[in-house]
Amino acid sequence: MLLDILKAILIGIMASLPIGPVSLLVMQKTFCYGRKAGFAAGIGSAVVDTMYALASLYAFLFFQTIFDAHGSRIMIVGGVLIVAVGFSMLLRKPVSVPKESGISGAKAVQYAFQAAGCALANPGALFYMFTLVALFRLDIGSSQCPLWSIVLAAFAGTLLWWFSFAYTADKLRANFKVKTLDCISRIAGAAVIVFGLVLVVRGITIL
């Protein structure tokens, strides 16, 4: 039981490791507004990763059918969404470099939804999660752990990664001036736009 829980936590961490639009979004929010803003964005991604973990355990074939049938459309719509998020990052400048950044509940929810949207826009993340589940041989049918405990453990793993990521980025930003943070924010926004455009092009090519 304990081994399955530890495996699920590790799966949650590894699911969040690949550098992509969500990582850039979390980094940009942290550099501009502090670790609370970055962690809020990370929570949105963690929720999506947990949904994918659940899908991988019980309903992978169902989701695979959907993506096989509508994968190109999902890529195109998701790519446009990511491009929009990238432009919002590109055009917004850091307002200050406070020691501790306070954000409103509405802003935290906004950042979480932005990250969740970026994560959902990448269908490949579901297959990556399925690969991790298969690699660690998490078979809910033979596991002594109930499903909810494995899902919560995976969620805890993703939260642990995003908290560590936002905390580290928050510590690093203290060494940067506002102009430097503005440059990093623009670069991150431009990179997210490129991610989105690549996704749109891939979707168009397989129509």
Side-chain angles (χ1 to χ4, degrees):
M1 177 176 179
L2 179 59
L3 182 59
D4 283 329
I5 295 295
L6 292 176
K7 285 182 178 180
I9 292 174
L10 188 56
I11 286 174
I13 294 174
M14 293 183 67
S16 306
L17 282 178
I19 299 298
V22 175
S23 300
L24 294 171
L25 178 65
V26 172
M27 181 183 68
Q28 189 256 0
K29 296 304 181 187
T30 304
F31 278 168
C32 294
Y33 308 111
R35 64 176 177 268
K36 291 181 179 178
F39 187 55
I43 290 175
S45 176
V47 170
V48 174
D49 286 339
T50 304
M51 290 168 52
Y52 283 164
L54 181 61
S56 298
L57 289 167
Y58 260 128
F60 176 71
L61 292 177
F62 172 74
F63 281 94
Q64 185 182 35
T65 300
I66 291 179
F67 287 133
D68 286 345
H70 306 287
S72 60
R73 295 177 180 84
I74 293 174
M75 284 184 182
I76 293 172
V77 174
V80 172
L81 174 62
I82 290 179
V83 168
V85 172
F87 271 111
S88 72
M89 294 167 60
L90 189 66
L91 299 176
R92 179 170 296 179
K93 295 182 180 181
V95 292
S96 62
V97 191
K99 292 183 178 179
E100 181 64 29
S101 177
I103 59 172
S104 65
K107 282 293 183 182
V109 172
Q110 176 186 339
Y111 299 157
F113 271 104
Q114 284 182 348
C118 285
L120 283 170
N122 181 18
L126 174 59
F127 298 98
Y128 176 58
M129 178 65 76
F130 177 78
T131 301
L132 289 175
V133 171
L135 179 65
F136 283 89
R137 297 184 179 180
L138 268 181
D139 184 3
I140 192 65
S142 61
S143 174
Q144 296 179 353
C145 293
L147 176 63
W148 62 265
S149 64
I150 293 179
V151 172
L152 283 181
F155 182 63
T158 58
L159 286 183
L160 177 62
W161 167 254
W162 289 121
F163 178 81
S164 302
F165 188 90
Y167 182 83
T168 302
D170 186 60
K171 291 298 182 182
L172 290 175
R173 78 188 182 117
N175 301 320
F176 298 133
K177 297 180 180 179
V178 173
K179 288 184 178 180
T180 304
L181 292 177
D182 180 47
C183 181
I184 293 174
S185 178
R186 289 177 180 273
I187 292 173
V192 170
I193 291 173
V194 172
F195 273 111
L197 291 176
V198 169
L199 204 60
V200 170
V201 172
R202 286 183 60 190
I204 292 175
T205 56
I206 63 176
L207 273 176

PDB file of all heavy atoms in Angstrom, residues 150-171:
ATOM      1  N   ILE A 150      -4.708   6.869  -4.308  1.00  0.00           N
ATOM      2  CA  ILE A 150      -3.698   6.971  -5.361  1.00  0.00           C
ATOM      3  C   ILE A 150      -3.828   8.301  -6.088  1.00  0.00           C
ATOM      4  O   ILE A 150      -2.832   8.966  -6.388  1.00  0.00           O
ATOM      5  CB  ILE A 150      -3.837   5.793  -6.339  1.00  0.00           C
ATOM      6  CG1 ILE A 150      -3.465   4.482  -5.629  1.00  0.00           C
ATOM      7  CG2 ILE A 150      -2.952   5.992  -7.564  1.00  0.00           C
ATOM      8  CD1 ILE A 150      -3.599   3.247  -6.497  1.00  0.00           C
ATOM      9  N   VAL A 151      -5.066   8.711  -6.375  1.00  0.00           N
ATOM     10  CA  VAL A 151      -5.299   9.985  -7.062  1.00  0.00           C
ATOM     11  C   VAL A 151      -4.824  11.152  -6.196  1.00  0.00           C
ATOM     12  O   VAL A 151      -4.167  12.085  -6.679  1.00  0.00           O
ATOM     13  CB  VAL A 151      -6.789  10.142  -7.407  1.00  0.00           C
ATOM     14  CG1 VAL A 151      -7.068  11.541  -7.944  1.00  0.00           C
ATOM     15  CG2 VAL A 151      -7.203   9.095  -8.441  1.00  0.00           C
ATOM     16  N   LEU A 152      -5.131  11.114  -4.904  1.00  0.00           N
ATOM     17  CA  LEU A 152      -4.682  12.171  -4.000  1.00  0.00           C
ATOM     18  C   LEU A 152      -3.164  12.211  -3.900  1.00  0.00           C
ATOM     19  O   LEU A 152      -2.563  13.286  -3.808  1.00  0.00           O
ATOM     20  CB  LEU A 152      -5.291  11.969  -2.604  1.00  0.00           C
ATOM     21  CG  LEU A 152      -6.757  12.363  -2.425  1.00  0.00           C
ATOM     22  CD1 LEU A 152      -7.199  12.130  -0.984  1.00  0.00           C
ATOM     23  CD2 LEU A 152      -6.969  13.836  -2.796  1.00  0.00           C
ATOM     24  N   ALA A 153      -2.530  11.044  -3.916  1.00  0.00           N
ATOM     25  CA  ALA A 153      -1.069  10.992  -3.854  1.00  0.00           C
ATOM     26  C   ALA A 153      -0.453  11.612  -5.103  1.00  0.00           C
ATOM     27  O   ALA A 153       0.543  12.347  -5.026  1.00  0.00           O
ATOM     28  CB  ALA A 153      -0.606   9.549  -3.690  1.00  0.00           C
ATOM     29  N   ALA A 154      -1.040  11.329  -6.275  1.00  0.00           N
ATOM     30  CA  ALA A 154      -0.555  11.935  -7.518  1.00  0.00           C
ATOM     31  C   ALA A 154      -0.745  13.448  -7.483  1.00  0.00           C
ATOM     32  O   ALA A 154       0.134  14.212  -7.917  1.00  0.00           O
ATOM     33  CB  ALA A 154      -1.291  11.336  -8.718  1.00  0.00           C
ATOM     34  N   PHE A 155      -1.882  13.892  -6.958  1.00  0.00           N
ATOM     35  CA  PHE A 155      -2.149  15.329  -6.819  1.00  0.00           C
ATOM     36  C   PHE A 155      -1.133  15.974  -5.892  1.00  0.00           C
ATOM     37  O   PHE A 155      -0.616  17.067  -6.170  1.00  0.00           O
ATOM     38  CB  PHE A 155      -3.571  15.530  -6.285  1.00  0.00           C
ATOM     39  CG  PHE A 155      -3.979  16.976  -6.149  1.00  0.00           C
ATOM     40  CD1 PHE A 155      -4.053  17.794  -7.261  1.00  0.00           C
ATOM     41  CD2 PHE A 155      -4.298  17.497  -4.911  1.00  0.00           C
ATOM     42  CE1 PHE A 155      -4.435  19.123  -7.144  1.00  0.00           C
ATOM     43  CE2 PHE A 155      -4.677  18.825  -4.779  1.00  0.00           C
ATOM     44  CZ  PHE A 155      -4.753  19.639  -5.897  1.00  0.00           C
ATOM     45  N   ALA A 156      -0.806  15.287  -4.783  1.00  0.00           N
ATOM     46  CA  ALA A 156       0.182  15.802  -3.841  1.00  0.00           C
ATOM     47  C   ALA A 156       1.554  15.916  -4.502  1.00  0.00           C
ATOM     48  O   ALA A 156       2.304  16.870  -4.252  1.00  0.00           O
ATOM     49  CB  ALA A 156       0.260  14.888  -2.620  1.00  0.00           C
ATOM     50  N   GLY A 157       1.883  14.952  -5.372  1.00  0.00           N
ATOM     51  CA  GLY A 157       3.158  15.003  -6.070  1.00  0.00           C
ATOM     52  C   GLY A 157       3.259  16.201  -6.993  1.00  0.00           C
ATOM     53  O   GLY A 157       4.287  16.890  -7.026  1.00  0.00           O
ATOM     54  N   THR A 158       2.187  16.485  -7.738  1.00  0.00           N
ATOM     55  CA  THR A 158       2.199  17.643  -8.639  1.00  0.00           C
ATOM     56  C   THR A 158       2.263  18.946  -7.843  1.00  0.00           C
ATOM     57  O   THR A 158       2.982  19.874  -8.212  1.00  0.00           O
ATOM     58  CB  THR A 158       0.956  17.653  -9.539  1.00  0.00           C
ATOM     59  OG1 THR A 158      -0.227  17.669  -8.737  1.00  0.00           O
ATOM     60  CG2 THR A 158       0.917  16.429 -10.426  1.00  0.00           C
ATOM     61  N   LEU A 159       1.527  19.017  -6.739  1.00  0.00           N
ATOM     62  CA  LEU A 159       1.572  20.218  -5.905  1.00  0.00           C
ATOM     63  C   LEU A 159       2.967  20.431  -5.321  1.00  0.00           C
ATOM     64  O   LEU A 159       3.456  21.562  -5.244  1.00  0.00           O
ATOM     65  CB  LEU A 159       0.554  20.119  -4.759  1.00  0.00           C
ATOM     66  CG  LEU A 159      -0.921  20.307  -5.117  1.00  0.00           C
ATOM     67  CD1 LEU A 159      -1.777  20.257  -3.851  1.00  0.00           C
ATOM     68  CD2 LEU A 159      -1.141  21.640  -5.833  1.00  0.00           C
ATOM     69  N   LEU A 160       3.607  19.345  -4.911  1.00  0.00           N
ATOM     70  CA  LEU A 160       4.955  19.436  -4.352  1.00  0.00           C
ATOM     71  C   LEU A 160       5.923  20.010  -5.376  1.00  0.00           C
ATOM     72  O   LEU A 160       6.751  20.873  -5.052  1.00  0.00           O
ATOM     73  CB  LEU A 160       5.424  18.046  -3.900  1.00  0.00           C
ATOM     74  CG  LEU A 160       6.855  17.948  -3.351  1.00  0.00           C
ATOM     75  CD1 LEU A 160       6.990  18.797  -2.098  1.00  0.00           C
ATOM     76  CD2 LEU A 160       7.216  16.491  -3.056  1.00  0.00           C
ATOM     77  N   TRP A 161       5.801  19.532  -6.615  1.00  0.00           N
ATOM     78  CA  TRP A 161       6.688  20.049  -7.660  1.00  0.00           C
ATOM     79  C   TRP A 161       6.437  21.524  -7.921  1.00  0.00           C
ATOM     80  O   TRP A 161       7.374  22.328  -7.989  1.00  0.00           O
ATOM     81  CB  TRP A 161       6.500  19.270  -8.964  1.00  0.00           C
ATOM     82  CG  TRP A 161       7.155  19.964 -10.124  1.00  0.00           C
ATOM     83  CD1 TRP A 161       6.547  20.641 -11.129  1.00  0.00           C
ATOM     84  CD2 TRP A 161       8.564  20.059 -10.376  1.00  0.00           C
ATOM     85  NE1 TRP A 161       7.473  21.166 -12.007  1.00  0.00           N
ATOM     86  CE2 TRP A 161       8.712  20.829 -11.562  1.00  0.00           C
ATOM     87  CE3 TRP A 161       9.704  19.588  -9.715  1.00  0.00           C
ATOM     88  CZ2 TRP A 161       9.974  21.120 -12.108  1.00  0.00           C
ATOM     89  CZ3 TRP A 161      10.954  19.880 -10.262  1.00  0.00           C
ATOM     90  CH2 TRP A 161      11.077  20.633 -11.430  1.00  0.00           C
ATOM     91  N   TRP A 162       5.173  21.937  -8.081  1.00  0.00           N
ATOM     92  CA  TRP A 162       4.891  23.327  -8.423  1.00  0.00           C
ATOM     93  C   TRP A 162       5.199  24.271  -7.283  1.00  0.00           C
ATOM     94  O   TRP A 162       5.616  25.416  -7.511  1.00  0.00           O
ATOM     95  CB  TRP A 162       3.436  23.483  -8.881  1.00  0.00           C
ATOM     96  CG  TRP A 162       3.181  22.873 -10.216  1.00  0.00           C
ATOM     97  CD1 TRP A 162       2.285  21.890 -10.524  1.00  0.00           C
ATOM     98  CD2 TRP A 162       3.850  23.177 -11.447  1.00  0.00           C
ATOM     99  NE1 TRP A 162       2.359  21.564 -11.848  1.00  0.00           N
ATOM    100  CE2 TRP A 162       3.317  22.338 -12.441  1.00  0.00           C
ATOM    101  CE3 TRP A 162       4.862  24.073 -11.799  1.00  0.00           C
ATOM    102  CZ2 TRP A 162       3.739  22.389 -13.766  1.00  0.00           C
ATOM    103  CZ3 TRP A 162       5.293  24.109 -13.116  1.00  0.00           C
ATOM    104  CH2 TRP A 162       4.727  23.278 -14.074  1.00  0.00           C
ATOM    105  N   PHE A 163       5.021  23.822  -6.049  1.00  0.00           N
ATOM    106  CA  PHE A 163       5.401  24.659  -4.905  1.00  0.00           C
ATOM    107  C   PHE A 163       6.916  24.862  -4.906  1.00  0.00           C
ATOM    108  O   PHE A 163       7.398  25.990  -4.702  1.00  0.00           O
ATOM    109  CB  PHE A 163       4.951  24.019  -3.590  1.00  0.00           C
ATOM    110  CG  PHE A 163       5.353  24.823  -2.375  1.00  0.00           C
ATOM    111  CD1 PHE A 163       4.601  25.914  -1.973  1.00  0.00           C
ATOM    112  CD2 PHE A 163       6.490  24.490  -1.646  1.00  0.00           C
ATOM    113  CE1 PHE A 163       4.974  26.668  -0.872  1.00  0.00           C
ATOM    114  CE2 PHE A 163       6.870  25.239  -0.537  1.00  0.00           C
ATOM    115  CZ  PHE A 163       6.100  26.328  -0.147  1.00  0.00           C
ATOM    116  N   SER A 164       7.673  23.789  -5.136  1.00  0.00           N
ATOM    117  CA  SER A 164       9.136  23.887  -5.170  1.00  0.00           C
ATOM    118  C   SER A 164       9.592  24.770  -6.333  1.00  0.00           C
ATOM    119  O   SER A 164      10.513  25.588  -6.185  1.00  0.00           O
ATOM    120  CB  SER A 164       9.762  22.497  -5.296  1.00  0.00           C
ATOM    121  OG  SER A 164       9.365  21.662  -4.236  1.00  0.00           O
ATOM    122  N   PHE A 165       8.924  24.615  -7.479  1.00  0.00           N
ATOM    123  CA  PHE A 165       9.265  25.405  -8.665  1.00  0.00           C
ATOM    124  C   PHE A 165       9.017  26.887  -8.412  1.00  0.00           C
ATOM    125  O   PHE A 165       9.874  27.733  -8.698  1.00  0.00           O
ATOM    126  CB  PHE A 165       8.422  24.909  -9.839  1.00  0.00           C
ATOM    127  CG  PHE A 165       8.797  25.501 -11.171  1.00  0.00           C
ATOM    128  CD1 PHE A 165       9.754  24.884 -11.966  1.00  0.00           C
ATOM    129  CD2 PHE A 165       8.195  26.660 -11.633  1.00  0.00           C
ATOM    130  CE1 PHE A 165      10.108  25.425 -13.198  1.00  0.00           C
ATOM    131  CE2 PHE A 165       8.544  27.212 -12.852  1.00  0.00           C
ATOM    132  CZ  PHE A 165       9.502  26.589 -13.646  1.00  0.00           C
ATOM    133  N   ALA A 166       7.832  27.213  -7.872  1.00  0.00           N
ATOM    134  CA  ALA A 166       7.496  28.612  -7.607  1.00  0.00           C
ATOM    135  C   ALA A 166       8.383  29.194  -6.510  1.00  0.00           C
ATOM    136  O   ALA A 166       8.794  30.353  -6.581  1.00  0.00           O
ATOM    137  CB  ALA A 166       6.016  28.723  -7.211  1.00  0.00           C
ATOM    138  N   TYR A 167       8.678  28.402  -5.496  1.00  0.00           N
ATOM    139  CA  TYR A 167       9.527  28.869  -4.390  1.00  0.00           C
ATOM    140  C   TYR A 167      10.933  29.197  -4.898  1.00  0.00           C
ATOM    141  O   TYR A 167      11.505  30.242  -4.550  1.00  0.00           O
ATOM    142  CB  TYR A 167       9.599  27.801  -3.301  1.00  0.00           C
ATOM    143  CG  TYR A 167      10.415  28.211  -2.094  1.00  0.00           C
ATOM    144  CD1 TYR A 167       9.852  28.993  -1.084  1.00  0.00           C
ATOM    145  CD2 TYR A 167      11.750  27.812  -1.963  1.00  0.00           C
ATOM    146  CE1 TYR A 167      10.602  29.378   0.021  1.00  0.00           C
ATOM    147  CE2 TYR A 167      12.505  28.192  -0.869  1.00  0.00           C
ATOM    148  CZ  TYR A 167      11.918  28.965   0.120  1.00  0.00           C
ATOM    149  OH  TYR A 167      12.668  29.349   1.210  1.00  0.00           O
ATOM    150  N   THR A 168      11.484  28.320  -5.746  1.00  0.00           N
ATOM    151  CA  THR A 168      12.822  28.554  -6.289  1.00  0.00           C
ATOM    152  C   THR A 168      12.847  29.781  -7.188  1.00  0.00           C
ATOM    153  O   THR A 168      13.762  30.617  -7.105  1.00  0.00           O
ATOM    154  CB  THR A 168      13.297  27.318  -7.083  1.00  0.00           C
ATOM    155  OG1 THR A 168      13.291  26.177  -6.223  1.00  0.00           O
ATOM    156  CG2 THR A 168      14.704  27.528  -7.626  1.00  0.00           C
ATOM    157  N   ALA A 169      11.840  29.904  -8.058  1.00  0.00           N
ATOM    158  CA  ALA A 169      11.768  31.065  -8.946  1.00  0.00           C
ATOM    159  C   ALA A 169      11.613  32.350  -8.150  1.00  0.00           C
ATOM    160  O   ALA A 169      12.181  33.391  -8.501  1.00  0.00           O
ATOM    161  CB  ALA A 169      10.598  30.901  -9.924  1.00  0.00           C
ATOM    162  N   ASP A 170      10.865  32.292  -7.050  1.00  0.00           N
ATOM    163  CA  ASP A 170      10.669  33.467  -6.203  1.00  0.00           C
ATOM    164  C   ASP A 170      11.986  33.906  -5.566  1.00  0.00           C
ATOM    165  O   ASP A 170      12.265  35.097  -5.446  1.00  0.00           O
ATOM    166  CB  ASP A 170       9.633  33.149  -5.121  1.00  0.00           C
ATOM    167  CG  ASP A 170       9.274  34.371  -4.283  1.00  0.00           C
ATOM    168  OD1 ASP A 170       8.781  35.359  -4.866  1.00  0.00           O
ATOM    169  OD2 ASP A 170       9.499  34.339  -3.064  1.00  0.00           O
ATOM    170  N   LYS A 171      12.806  32.939  -5.163  1.00  0.00           N
ATOM    171  CA  LYS A 171      14.100  33.261  -4.582  1.00  0.00           C
ATOM    172  C   LYS A 171      15.037  33.867  -5.628  1.00  0.00           C
ATOM    173  O   LYS A 171      15.800  34.790  -5.336  1.00  0.00           O
ATOM    174  CB  LYS A 171      14.739  32.006  -3.982  1.00  0.00           C
ATOM    175  CG  LYS A 171      14.026  31.476  -2.749  1.00  0.00           C
ATOM    176  CD  LYS A 171      14.050  32.482  -1.612  1.00  0.00           C
ATOM    177  CE  LYS A 171      13.377  31.935  -0.360  1.00  0.00           C
ATOM    178  NZ  LYS A 171      13.355  32.947   0.736  1.00  0.00           N
TER     179      LYS A 171
END
